């Protein structure tokens, strides 16, 4: 039973570029959440997707956007990259509903030069 | 708004000694609490969760946590740590609004176990 898988594992970009990160949820899960973890910090909620719709967004600018596909996989897109976007981006999947635990992937390490 | 405070950024401890990692939360509604562990270059792994019922929650790898509503705390404990427990530990509260259960994390506690 595969867990949450994310790709790529590492990525290096320059300021102003655009990036797409990918996530496949754990088998049977239908909800995907994205988090940003800056160095030395706890993860911060970016947004959550369910039934291909964004359900809630954290305090992140519109440069951050996402998508969920019919097979529940998801993408996170970041435009006009800034140095401050350097972080570990974590994807978590769960079953929709109250109190369902979120299962995390190993993340994508994004470095902006 | 809900928030989580982890009082210790680093906790050094010798192998086989007991350890407690402290977590306090603020919430105006029913609260669901979690502890996650993060090993180097990996994602987060769920250690244990408190949803309701018994205030003493047992998790994986010999960890347990106690929910204390009056103290608004959810401290993580292990009676005897191993070198392999060296990792970053995050306390989180579930914020159930707009039919979405986003997690709000603390800043983490680095547990360093020495031989």
């Amino acid at each position: 039973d595969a867990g949450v898988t994310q790709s790529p594992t590492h990525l290096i970009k320059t300021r102003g570029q655009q990036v797409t990160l990918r996530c496949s949820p754990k088998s049977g899960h239908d909800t995907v959440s994205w988090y940003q973890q800056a160095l030395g910090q706890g993860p911060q909620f970016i947004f959550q997707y369910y039934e291909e719709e964004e359900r809630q967004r954290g305090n992140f600018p519109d440069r951050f956007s996402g998508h969920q596909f019919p097979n529940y996989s998801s993408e996170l897109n970041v435009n006009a990259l800034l140095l401050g976007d350097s972080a570990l981006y974590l994807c978590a999947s769960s079953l929709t509903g109250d109190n369902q635990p979120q299962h995390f992937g190993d993340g994508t390490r994004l470095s902006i030069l | 708004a809900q928030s989580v405070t982890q009082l210790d950024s680093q906790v050094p401890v010798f192998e086989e000694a007991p350890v407690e990692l402290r977590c306090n939360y603020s919430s105006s509604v029913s609260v669901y609490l979690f502890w996650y562990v993060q090993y180097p270059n990996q994602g987060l792994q769920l250690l244990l969760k408190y949803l309701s019922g018994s205030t003493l929650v047992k998790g994986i790898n010999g960890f347990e946590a106690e929910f204390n509503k009056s103290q608004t705390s959810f401290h993580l404990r292990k009676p005897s740590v191993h070198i392999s427990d060296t990792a970053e530990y995050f306390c989180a509260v579930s914020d159930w609004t707009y039919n979405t259960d986003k997690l709000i994390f603390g800043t983490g506690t680095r547990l360093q176990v020495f031989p």
Side-chain angles (χ1 to χ4, degrees):
Chain A
D1 180 20
V4 180
T5 58
Q6 293 187 242
S7 63
T9 54
H10 295 87
L11 206 48
I12 299 175
K13 292 285 187 179
T14 57
R15 283 178 296 174
Q17 285 189 310
Q18 178 265 342
V19 69
T20 298
L21 311 181
R22 295 177 176 81
C23 172
S24 292
K26 181 179 167 68
S27 179
H29 286 182
D30 56 10
T31 301
V32 173
S33 304
W34 286 92
Y35 294 81
Q36 180 196 65
Q37 185 180 16
L39 200 61
Q41 300 295 317
Q44 296 214 347
F45 176 79
I46 303 175
F47 41 52
Q48 184 177 90
Y49 277 84
Y50 171 69
E51 290 189 335
E52 303 178 51
E53 299 272 337
E54 181 183 293
R55 285 212 291 204
Q56 191 180 6
R57 167 180 282 267
N59 189 25
F60 280 81
D62 292 344
R63 297 186 299 108
F64 289 77
S65 63
H67 190 76
Q68 186 179 34
F69 299 94
N71 67 352
Y72 308 118
S73 66
S74 177
E75 288 182 349
L76 165 65
N77 301 292
V78 188
N79 294 322
L81 287 165
L82 304 173
L83 292 177
D85 295 332
S86 293
L88 179 67
Y89 288 85
L90 294 165
C91 171
S93 73
S94 58
L95 273 172
T96 195
D98 198 11
N99 306 326
Q100 296 298 324
Q102 296 187 23
H103 296 253
F104 285 80
D106 285 341
T108 294
R109 174 72 63 187
L110 176 63
S111 299
I112 310 300
L113 303 180
Chain B
Q2 300 192 66
S3 65
V4 172
T5 302
Q6 291 184 245
L7 298 162
D8 306 297
S9 59
Q10 295 186 66
V11 173
V13 64
F14 287 107
E15 194 173 20
E16 297 183 9
V19 70
E20 178 180 83
L21 306 185
R22 296 181 294 168
C23 172
N24 285 88
Y25 67 92
S26 68
S27 173
S28 58
V29 297
S30 297
V31 64
Y32 308 118
L33 293 157
F34 305 83
W35 275 99
Y36 283 86
V37 60
Q38 186 174 36
Y39 299 102
N41 300 313
Q42 291 187 25
L44 303 176
Q45 181 182 4
L46 180 65
L47 273 178
L48 48 78
K49 60 183 184 286
Y50 171 79
L51 304 179
S52 64
S54 173
T55 57
L56 184 63
V57 180
K58 293 192 182 297
I60 63 171
N61 301 341
F63 284 93
E64 62 181 31
E66 185 159 17
F67 171 63
N68 188 320
K69 188 174 182 178
S70 62
Q71 304 277 340
T72 62
S73 68
F74 190 55
H75 300 332
L76 181 70
R77 302 185 182 103
K78 186 169 182 177
S80 175
V81 295
H82 302 288
I83 296 285
S84 59
D85 292 324
T86 294
E88 192 85 20
Y89 291 79
F90 292 96
C91 181
V93 63
S94 179
D95 182 353
W96 183 257
T97 54
Y98 305 109
N99 206 31
T100 305
D101 56 339
K102 71 178 184 183
L103 292 173
I104 298 170
F105 288 88
T107 52
T109 297
R110 169 84 175 152
L111 175 62
Q112 180 75 51
V113 181
F114 295 95

